[in-house]
């Protein structure tokens, strides 16, 4: 079994964060989303991973993952170039995959349970493909699978008016090499892409059994800022957090805190977990860091009340304001306008930023 | 769709035909690899197929 990890895409829904890097490297609980995927594949015993690169952020992704040795895996890069759809991305991996089966994992997705069960379920029978499904409340808005009593997929329907089930496809797949013949026969859809659901449908029509695995734990596609915040909550909720940094005697710390070795919580600061604070971060007097916040490396917080937020890193936040439900890009600085005249906020804001004042 | 790729003979990095064609000549994107990749490294038949169907390989 090999792994194919998709790391292309424009990340347009995560601007301005993605003006300077690929969406797969946005950190959740101070770890890039893409690393969770590599770790999930490794956990499922998959150590040969093809990483599909698009146009954007190639060097950053290669800088992070390298040859994979830091993660105990072996990485081959596959440059897709034009984003012609998931089935095109899979097709570009044909020479890498060879005669093996492979897991296809969308690099901006994150799921609680990993892919071990998906792989085991696929390997328990003779299947052309296996798909991960999750129960959703609004099946009309998803690609939906109909399955029989044994969990074999009988039909795939895109955004059905009358959904036969509430089981949505969630962007994790296992394929046999038979998928490459199916992809070779595909034509681009109305949106000009080779659709992976069309490839699976074609396998079904050719008589292949398609396995399904219903994912019980949470799953997040981190395409939008609110999804990053939600993924950050979910990971902080589940992760075991270690306090290795320095907490001053007169700091108040409750709940579960991840504090990196060179991070400091100074006297007069209040931190209430679950929270993750990365290396080089300093939480100064008068600061409140509330639940579900991740403070990235080399950030300094002073006087601010912040909660349910992600500070990516290299930020200085020195204000008495309250910040909630926010995503701050690398190097974003926030100061106080209290002593300025005329009264008012002073902003230097990048393209596609979103502020609520 | 016939998907055409080329694997670098030195490091195994795979590059799709659309990427090779748009650059014509490129340094291999593999980590630390100095190999030079060309659209003309592809099989003659694949080159012709790509050029005959170029529109379908663009978004
Ligand atoms: Zn190379």
């Amino acid at each position: 079994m090999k792994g194919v990890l998709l790391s292309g895409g424009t990340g347009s829904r995560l601007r301005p964060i993605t003006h300077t890097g690929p969406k797969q490297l946005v950190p959740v609980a101070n770890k890039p989303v893409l690393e969770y995927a590599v770790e999930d594949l490794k956990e499922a015993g998959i150590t040969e991973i093809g990483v599909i690169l698009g146009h954007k952020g190639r060097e950053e992704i290669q800088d992070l993952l390298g040859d994979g040795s830091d993660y105990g895996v072996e990485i081959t890069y596959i440059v897709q170039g034009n984003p012609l759809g998931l089935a095109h991305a899979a097709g570009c991996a044909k020479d890498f995959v060879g005669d093996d089966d492979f897991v296809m994992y969308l690099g901006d997705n994150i799921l609680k349970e990993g892919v071990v069960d998906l792989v085991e379920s696929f390997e328990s029978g003779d299947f052309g493909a296996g798909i991960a499904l999750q129960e959703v409340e609004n099946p009309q808005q998803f690609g939906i699978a109909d399955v029989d009593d044994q969990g074999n997929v009988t039909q795939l329907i895109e955004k059905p008016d009358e959904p036969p089930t509430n089981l949505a496809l969630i962007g994790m797949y296992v394929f046999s090499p038979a998928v490459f013949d199916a992809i070779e026969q595909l034509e681009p859809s109305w949106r000009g892409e080779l659709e992976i659901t069309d490839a699976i449908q074609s396998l079904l029509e050719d008589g292949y059994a398609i396995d399904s695995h219903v994912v019980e734990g949470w799953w997040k596609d981190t395409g939008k800022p609110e999804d990053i915040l939600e993924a950050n909550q979910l990971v902080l909720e589940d992760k075991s957090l270690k306090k290795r940094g320095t907490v001053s005697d007169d700091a108040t710390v409750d709940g579960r805190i991840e504090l990196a070795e060179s991070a400091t919580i100074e006297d007069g600061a209040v931190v209430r977990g679950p929270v993750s604070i990365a290396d080089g971060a300093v939480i100064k007097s008068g600061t409140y860091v509330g639940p579900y916040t991740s403070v990235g490396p080399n950030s300094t917080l002073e006087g601010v009340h912040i909660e349910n937020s992600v500070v990516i890193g290299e930020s200085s936040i020195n204000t008495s304001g309250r910040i909630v439900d926010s995503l701050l890009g690398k190097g974003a600085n926030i100061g106080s306008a209290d002593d300025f005249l005329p009264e008012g906020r002073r902003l230097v804001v990048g393209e596609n930023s979103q502020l609520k004042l | 769709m016939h998907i055409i790729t080329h694997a670098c003979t030195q490091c195994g990095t795979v590059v799709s035909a659309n990427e090779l064609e748009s650059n014509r000549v490129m340094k291999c994107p593999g980590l630390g690899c100095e190999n030079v990749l060309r659209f003309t490294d592809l099989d003659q038949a694949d080159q012709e197929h790509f050029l005959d169907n170029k529109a379908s390989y663009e978004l």
Side-chain angles (χ1 to χ4, degrees):
Chain A
M1 183 76 67
K2 286 180 177 155
V4 171
L5 184 51
L6 273 68
S7 310
T10 57
S12 57
R13 293 175 302 157
L14 259 173
R15 288 174 187 154
I17 305 298
T18 46
H19 281 319
T20 48
K23 59 179 173 177
Q24 293 83 5
L25 299 193
V26 174
V28 164
N30 281 317
K31 184 157 81 174
V33 172
L34 195 57
E35 280 191 17
Y36 292 93
V38 172
E39 290 171 1
D40 283 351
L41 291 170
K42 171 95 192 302
E43 189 196 3
I46 297 165
T47 55
E48 289 173 81
I49 301 175
V51 174
I52 309 263
L53 303 171
H55 284 301
K56 194 178 177 89
R58 283 182 200 170
E59 281 92 22
E60 288 97 329
I61 288 167
Q62 288 179 300
D63 279 351
L64 176 76
L65 298 180
D67 62 3
S69 53
D70 286 354
Y71 304 90
V73 300
E74 197 180 304
I75 286 175
T76 299
Y77 290 99
I78 299 165
V79 179
Q80 180 190 15
N82 286 346
L84 300 175
L86 294 185
H88 179 262
C92 288
K94 183 178 176 181
D95 288 343
F96 163 74
V97 167
D99 296 327
D100 284 314
D101 299 326
F102 65 103
V103 172
M104 189 161 102
Y105 195 131
L106 304 192
D108 58 349
N109 278 218
I110 181 163
L111 75 169
K112 180 185 169 89
E113 67 177 45
V115 294
V116 171
D117 292 349
L118 174 69
V119 169
E120 278 178 4
S121 180
F122 173 85
E123 287 181 332
S124 69
D126 185 16
F127 298 107
I131 58 177
L133 301 173
Q134 189 166 56
E135 290 187 15
V136 293
E137 283 169 8
N138 45 350
Q140 291 84 356
Q141 293 168 25
F142 289 87
I144 294 296
D146 199 359
V147 298
D148 68 14
D149 298 344
Q150 279 83 46
N152 290 312
V153 176
T154 55
Q155 196 188 9
L156 295 175
I157 322 147
E158 195 55 36
K159 298 183 180 167
D161 291 329
E162 290 177 30
T165 69
N166 61 349
L167 297 170
L169 277 79
I170 65 163
M172 302 283 158
Y173 312 88
V174 194
F175 290 111
S176 71
V179 77
F180 295 118
D181 290 333
I183 291 168
E184 190 88 9
Q185 305 307 318
L186 288 185
E187 294 295 332
S189 66
W190 59 271
R191 56 175 181 171
E193 295 191 5
L194 290 190
E195 308 287 349
I196 202 69
T197 43
D198 289 347
I200 299 167
Q201 188 67 41
S202 152
L203 287 172
L204 260 181
E205 285 161 14
D206 288 345
Y208 286 95
I210 309 294
D211 182 39
S212 72
H213 168 68
V214 178
V215 170
E216 303 288 350
W218 53 260
W219 156 77
K220 254 352 260 180
D221 167 357
T222 60
K224 301 195 293 290
E226 55 268 37
D227 299 324
I228 296 287
L229 297 181
E230 204 181 328
N232 188 62
Q233 287 171 17
L234 293 164
V235 171
L236 287 176
E237 191 66 57
D238 285 347
K239 198 178 172 188
S240 94
L241 306 176
K242 287 200 190 83
K243 212 185 297 171
R244 284 177 300 188
T246 309
V247 180
S248 295
D249 291 344
D250 288 326
T252 307
V253 172
D254 321 315
R256 296 183 311 113
I257 311 277
E258 177 171 68
L259 189 65
E261 203 161 341
S262 64
T264 312
I265 302 175
E266 296 189 348
D267 287 342
V270 177
V271 179
R272 189 156 293 152
V275 157
S276 170
I277 300 172
D279 269 314
V282 183
I283 313 299
K284 290 184 170 282
S285 175
T287 306
Y288 170 74
V289 180
Y292 307 112
T293 300
S294 291
V295 179
N298 305 317
S299 299
T300 303
L301 274 57
E302 184 163 14
V304 68
H305 284 219
I306 186 167
E307 59 184 85
N308 195 42
S309 294
V310 172
V311 178
I312 291 180
E314 318 286 337
S315 278
S316 161
I317 305 177
N318 184 348
T319 174
S320 57
R322 297 173 71 95
I323 297 174
V324 298
D325 304 349
S326 296
L327 175 59
L328 264 69
K330 192 171 173 181
N333 296 320
I334 301 175
S336 170
D338 287 354
D339 298 333
F340 285 42
L341 287 172
E343 257 181 50
R345 297 181 163 111
R346 281 22 178 210
L347 307 173
V348 179
V349 175
E351 278 176 54
N352 311 107
S353 296
Q354 302 167 51
L355 291 91
K356 291 194 171 58
L357 298 172
Chain B
M1 183 190 280
H2 178 47
I3 297 173
I4 303 162
T5 57
H6 174 66
C8 172
T9 50
Q10 297 195 7
C11 74
T13 294
V14 177
V15 180
S16 71
N18 59 57
E19 190 72 14
L20 287 171
E21 200 271 342
S22 67
N23 290 295
R24 286 281 157 180
V25 179
M26 64 190 281
K27 183 181 152 302
C28 173
L31 282 170
C33 183
E34 297 296 328
N35 201 11
V36 172
L37 308 180
R38 293 179 176 83
F39 182 66
T40 51
D41 292 338
L42 296 170
D43 289 348
Q44 193 66 34
D46 278 345
Q47 289 181 44
E48 283 167 17
H49 180 91
F50 182 86
L51 294 172
D52 289 347
N53 297 278
K54 199 174 156 187
S56 65
Y57 293 100
E58 289 162 1
L59 192 68

